[in-house]
Amino acid sequence: MKAAVLISSGKLEVKDISKPKPNQDQLLIKMLACGICGTDRHIFHGEYPANLPLVMGHEFGGEVVEVGSGNEFSIGDWVSVDPNIVCGECDHCLAKRFAHCRGLIALGVTINGGFAEYVLVPKSQAHKVPNSINPLHLGFVEPLACCIRGMDLAEIKGGEKVAIFGGGSMGMLVVQLAKLAGASEIILITRQKSRRSVALNLGATRTIDPNAEDVTAVLSEIDISFEVAGVSETFHQCCAVTRAGGTVIVLGVAPKDEKTPFSVYEFLVKGLKIIASYLNPETQARAAEMIANRKLNLDTLISRKVRLDDLPSVLAVEPGQGDIKYIVTSD
């Protein structure tokens, strides 16, 4: 079968590898869609820890083509895949801190994932979805699950003033989730004009171009800020514009070696709640259900379909101006 294998930092090869065979606790799925995540780009450039050689891709789903014996799934089922496999036995798992499992295994990060024609998946990680949905939407379930986790931590009750720093796919998902949660103001900050237009169409009440305006001068008294860009500058802007006693949710993944100076004094006197939202513990099924029920506008976010053969060249360069989400397909 065809797969895109990361051999070393910056070296991705599309090659034929052996098609895996499922045991009784596994499924073999034909990959229908796998989103390209910012984390994939960090892995590609050696900025995020991963086990190499590796078939990357963790935002995926597909059609079941083989099942192990005694398996409750059937050939032809469509599933989304939660890539994060926890041990269930360590101190973090027992305390339900699943994102911090000491034995965490992640499809597309520590073991082979979704950038392949076929993917071997533990049945515990699969969630059935109707085969009536747009198959490309399977590439959104995992990032939506991460956003839902951030929303849970934000505890939006309704009426809050929300700022979202970052206009990629997760920023656009948070815009829609904040609207559904009843936020009174939803402000998206991004440099790209086309992304600002998309955000307004999805429910943002205002957008800001940080190249044209000083964000910290024009924004204040934000109840909840979401850092979704994975950049030190936007993290500091979040902290600056959030009101005393407000909440900053950190969703963006920065390169592993990036450091940033931080004023402990300002953090103390302002009484900020800075919460890191990592991975998607216990939210994958909710995300799959939300997508199946068509609660969100996802088609607007799809900028390009990418063939496996084209993946090396796509990952080697930054996304095109205004592009939001690339979806890899096995066709």
Side-chain angles (χ1 to χ4, degrees), residues 33 54 69 71-72 176 193 232:
L54 174 73
S69 60
N71 201 305
E72 65 268 28
Q176 297 181 72
K193 181 178 180 180
S232 295

Side-chain angles (χ1 to χ4, degrees), residues 298-317:
L298 302 178
D299 291 334
T300 299
L301 307 183
I302 300 172
S303 304
R304 179 178 173 187
K305 288 171 58 178
V306 176
R307 299 183 307 126
L308 281 172
D309 287 331
D310 297 329
L311 191 53
S313 61
V314 170
L315 282 178
V317 299

Side-chain angles (χ1 to χ4, degrees), residues 11 30 44 55 83 100 135 159 182 184 192 205-207 216-217 228 239 241 252 276 314 321 326-327:
K11 185 179 181 182
K30 174 180 171 57
F44 176 80
V55 178
H100 309 291
S184 61
Q192 298 191 32
T205 57
R206 177 184 175 190
T207 62
T216 60
V228 199
C239 295
V241 305
V314 170
Q321 183 72 17
Y326 292 171
I327 302 290

Side-chain angles (χ1 to χ4, degrees), residues 101 186 210 274 311:
C101 170
I186 304 170
I274 300 176
L311 191 53

Side-chain angles (χ1 to χ4, degrees), residues 7-41:
I7 307 299
S8 60
S9 178
K11 185 179 181 182
L12 185 69
E13 296 181 357
V14 179
K15 56 172 61 179
D16 284 327
I17 64 173
S18 298
K19 185 177 178 181
K21 183 76 175 175
N23 65 28
Q24 64 180 6
D25 296 320
Q26 295 174 320
L27 313 170
L28 185 69
I29 69 167
K30 174 180 171 57
M31 185 270 285
L32 296 178
C34 186
I36 296 178
C37 174
T39 301
D40 292 318
R41 295 184 180 278

